[in-house]
Amino acid sequence: MILSTLCLVPLIGGIIAWYSQRFDSHWPQRIALITLIISLAYLILLCLTSSQSGLWLFDESHEWISRLNITAHFSMDGLSLVLILLTFLMGLAALSSAWREITQHQGFFYFNFLWTLAGIVGVFLAMDLLLFFVFWEVMLVPMYFLIVIWGHEKRHYAALKFFLFTQAGGLLMLLSIIALAIFHYQQTGILSFNYHLLVQHPISSPIAVWLCLGFIVAFLVKLPAFPFHPWLPDAHTQAPTPASIILAAILLKTGGYGIIRFVLPLFPDAVQTWAPFMLILGVISIIYGAFLAFSQHDLKRIVAYSSVSHMGFVLIGCFSLNYFALQGAVIQMLAHGLSSAALFMLVGQIQARLHSRDLNDFSGLWHHLPKLCAMGLFFVIASLGMPGLGNFVGEFLILFGTFNQHTSFAVAASLGLIFGAIYSLRMIRKTFFGPYRFKDPDTTTSFMEQSSNSHTIQTPADINIKPDQPHYHASKDLNYREAFTLVCLAIGLILLGIHPQPIFNMLEQPLTQILTHISLGGGTL
């Protein structure tokens, strides 16, 4: 029960949170907070007490469906550890955002919130392929409810699109899992869905190329990569801020994790076939995502399309089949998790104060929201890859590793850094700087407007705005809870940027082992 406890705690916490609403509407969020703190403390305790010096830090297996040799098998190595740590930390960041935003059906909201996190943790721990598929589905259904119940005006369309895309990918992966087990049985006489066994005897049939593609497509949908990304902008735009944070910071990472954990070691030969195509898709995702981010005027869609661009770097890092690039892909996932969570949180705070996310409705926010804008400036700069911060380390390692073996792809991908700077600076200029201007979309009238020739800024008092009017919230800057959450995320990015060595140490054995499987299968390191 050492590892399964990491899944059970959020699952049980979600049920208690739902039930507790009968007694007090504030209890669900408090129970969610206690659940996440207990989970995080338990994970840290496991790390401190681990005496294993090998690849796998912990391993746990229980009988499940013995007739088909299916087990409830959980294992944790350094790769799983860093991603589970990211899951719980981003869960706390999302909870901070939900604290005031979610005011209806709080019990059911925190039930779905915690079950989504439990499903993600299960995905990072499951070592039986059918168990992995179960957790893959567990994290999707609650996320669907988070979007469709607490989302914005077009939430039904966005939730349905999210569900159909991810379900289609999941079905393809399930068929590939079953076919993989059957072909493995024909080859070895052993029917098993156990990851540890399957990687020791990769199937040699030509059909492996198509089974590999089934896994790849399922993970590309979740990453997301071009052309499997259309669900992402709508889901982000319509989802409540806490759900957007979970989507961007954690859920997308399950796609990259799936490629590294399952595709590369299970299909060492077939990966060689698909690697050039995946590198092309990675470059297209980087450039295409950056162009679309530049053309948007909704802040959430800008951050969403920038995620498509950044995940393109992860795709290139995974299929470069190079140690440094693979290391960079994981660092990029961690750094993007921190920076995207902060950006979605900031967008949610701007929307809560101005009732708009449209760049055409406001500008010059620095005059009235200096703390919020200062944090926004930091995270936008971090996102575009400023040296000394985590995103730079990830992108540098990916391009460095890719350059060694696929120079043209590395050069093409580096264009994404330039395009990323262009749309990031546009967003900074239009949102934070320039004359202060705000048009309340609820009243379609100008609330505050300062012409470019004027040197004075109108305040609510100047135009007779009473503090109890909704748009007066535009003058409120970050509160202590919001500032503390954002500062913690900023510290994480700085630590990842200036001292990434502890993460490198944790990733060394898992990534080396995965590349060894590819080498044994005939690939190149």
Side-chain angles (χ1 to χ4, degrees):
M1 296 293 287
I2 294 176
L3 294 178
S4 54
T5 302
L6 286 170
C7 302
L8 288 174
V9 170
L11 289 175
I12 296 171
I15 295 172
I16 296 173
W18 191 4
Y19 186 73
S20 68
Q21 190 178 7
R22 296 185 176 193
F23 308 102
D24 189 319
S25 61
H26 296 294
W27 279 22
Q29 61 189 28
R30 294 169 185 164
I31 290 172
L33 176 62
I34 293 170
T35 302
L36 288 177
I37 291 175
I38 291 173
S39 301
L40 188 59
Y42 181 70
L43 179 65
I44 294 173
L45 185 66
L46 283 182
C47 299
L48 295 176
T49 58
S50 172
S51 58
Q52 298 291 329
S53 56
L55 171 63
W56 299 99
L57 302 175
F58 297 96
D59 190 72
E60 174 187 334
S61 182
H62 309 279
E63 283 193 7
W64 184 16
I65 307 174
S66 54
R67 187 177 181 83
L68 296 176
N69 201 18
I70 299 172
T71 57
H73 196 155
F74 302 91
S75 298
M76 179 194 282
D77 60 0
L79 177 61
S80 306
L81 174 61
V82 295
L83 290 173
I84 294 172
L85 186 61
L86 177 74
T87 302
F88 289 136
L89 290 175
M90 294 306 98
L92 287 170
L95 180 62
S96 170
S97 179
W99 204 260
R100 296 293 181 198
E101 181 176 336
I102 304 302
T103 56
Q104 293 183 330
H105 312 297
Q106 295 188 35
F108 192 52
F109 174 86
Y110 287 105
F111 167 80
N112 287 290
F113 176 81
L114 290 173
W115 275 55
T116 302
L117 296 180
I120 295 171
V121 171
V123 162
F124 293 143
L125 290 176
M127 288 297 138
D128 184 284
L129 292 188
L130 277 184
L131 182 67
F132 174 80
F133 177 77
V134 169
F135 281 114
W136 188 263
E137 296 298 306
V138 166
M139 69 179 176
L140 298 182
V141 177
M143 178 54 71
Y144 168 82
F145 285 119
L146 289 178
I147 298 172
V148 80
I149 296 177
W150 291 273
H152 300 294
E153 62 276 6
K154 295 181 181 177
R155 58 187 181 276
H156 295 284
Y157 169 74
L160 182 63
K161 199 172 180 180
F162 162 76
F163 196 73
L164 291 179
F165 265 84
T166 51
Q167 281 297 296
L171 177 62
L172 196 57
M173 183 170 65
L174 177 61
L175 295 175
S176 299
I177 289 172
I178 294 172
L180 174 65
I182 292 173
F183 279 103
H184 182 265
Y185 174 74
Q186 293 175 346
Q187 187 172 298
T188 63
I190 302 172
L191 179 62
S192 177
F193 295 88
N194 189 303
Y195 169 83
H196 298 294
L197 185 63
L198 292 173
V199 294
Q200 297 301 325
H201 305 283
I203 61 174
S204 54
S205 168
I207 199 70
V209 173
W210 302 108
L211 298 184
C212 177
L213 183 62
F215 278 87
I216 289 175
V217 171
F219 296 136
L220 289 187
V221 170
K222 194 60 66 63
L223 195 57
F226 176 88
F228 304 100
H229 69 285
W231 64 270
L232 182 74
D234 291 320
H236 273 312
T237 306
Q238 300 304 321
T241 303
S244 290
I245 292 174
I246 295 176
L247 266 174
I250 318 169
L251 211 68
L252 306 188
K253 311 306 176 289
T254 58
Y257 170 81
I259 293 172
I260 296 172
R261 173 70 76 200
F262 295 102
V263 173
L264 300 185
L266 285 176
F267 306 99
D269 293 326
V271 162
Q272 308 297 324
T273 303
W274 294 115
F277 297 99
M278 295 304 114
L279 291 173
I280 292 172
L281 285 186
V283 171
I284 293 175
S285 296
I286 291 170
I287 297 175
Y288 176 77
F291 269 110
L292 286 184
F294 179 79
S295 64
Q296 304 300 313
H297 53 84
D298 184 314
L299 283 173
K300 266 195 170 183
R301 293 184 81 86
I302 293 175
V303 181
Y305 278 115
S306 73
S307 295
V308 175
S309 184
H310 290 128
M311 290 301 100
F313 280 102
V314 173
L315 185 59
I316 288 178
C318 292
F319 282 95
S320 291
L321 308 182
N322 174 279
Y323 179 77
F324 294 108
L326 209 53
Q327 203 176 42
V330 180
I331 297 292
Q332 175 75 350
M333 288 195 286
L334 299 176
H336 179 265
L338 295 170
S339 59
S340 63
L343 288 173
F344 275 114
M345 189 173 176
L346 286 164
V347 173
Q349 290 161 0
I350 289 174
Q351 185 175 12
R353 288 160 173 79
L354 306 182
H355 310 290
S356 175
R357 307 185 304 258
D358 195 322
L359 289 176
N360 296 322
D361 289 341
F362 51 79
S363 66
L365 297 184
W366 198 291
H367 296 292
H368 287 273
L369 304 170
K371 295 177 186 174
L372 187 151
C373 293
M375 297 305 299
L377 184 62
F378 173 85
F379 286 108
V380 172
I381 289 175
S383 180
L384 63 87
M386 178 64 69
L389 300 174
N391 304 69
F392 171 78
V393 177
E395 290 173 357
F396 173 78
L397 286 172
I398 290 170
L399 293 176
F400 177 75
T402 306
F403 191 85
N404 281 335
Q405 296 174 218
H406 310 282
T407 306
S408 56
F409 287 110
V411 172
S414 63
L415 294 175
L417 301 177
I418 300 172
F419 297 141
I422 293 172
Y423 71 72
S424 298
L425 293 176
R426 170 181 174 266
M427 184 170 69
I428 290 172
R429 182 183 60 80
K430 296 197 72 170
T431 307
F432 302 147
F433 299 111
Y436 181 68
R437 182 178 63 81
F438 169 53
K439 180 180 178 183
D440 192 337
D442 293 344
T443 60
T444 66
T445 57
S446 178
F447 163 44
M448 291 183 182
E449 192 159 1
Q450 180 190 14
S451 70
S452 57
N453 296 324
S454 173
H455 297 290
T456 60
I457 300 172
Q458 288 180 297
T459 67
D462 294 333
I463 55 177
N464 249 349
I465 298 296
K466 297 178 180 179
D468 56 350
Q469 288 182 314
H471 39 239
Y472 185 74
H473 292 293
S475 64
K476 291 184 178 178
D477 210 338
L478 295 178
N479 58 37
Y480 288 116
R481 173 177 48 80
E482 294 166 339
F484 176 75
T485 306
L486 291 168
V487 167
C488 289
L489 294 173
I491 291 173
L493 278 175
I494 294 171
L495 288 176
L496 206 54
I498 62 176
H499 188 51
Q501 192 58 45
I503 304 295
F504 290 159
N505 293 339
M506 283 192 276
L507 296 176
E508 183 177 358
Q509 288 199 46
L511 299 186
T512 302
Q513 184 72 14
I514 288 168
L515 288 174
T516 301
H517 284 298
I518 297 176
S519 177
L520 293 175
T524 56
L525 291 179

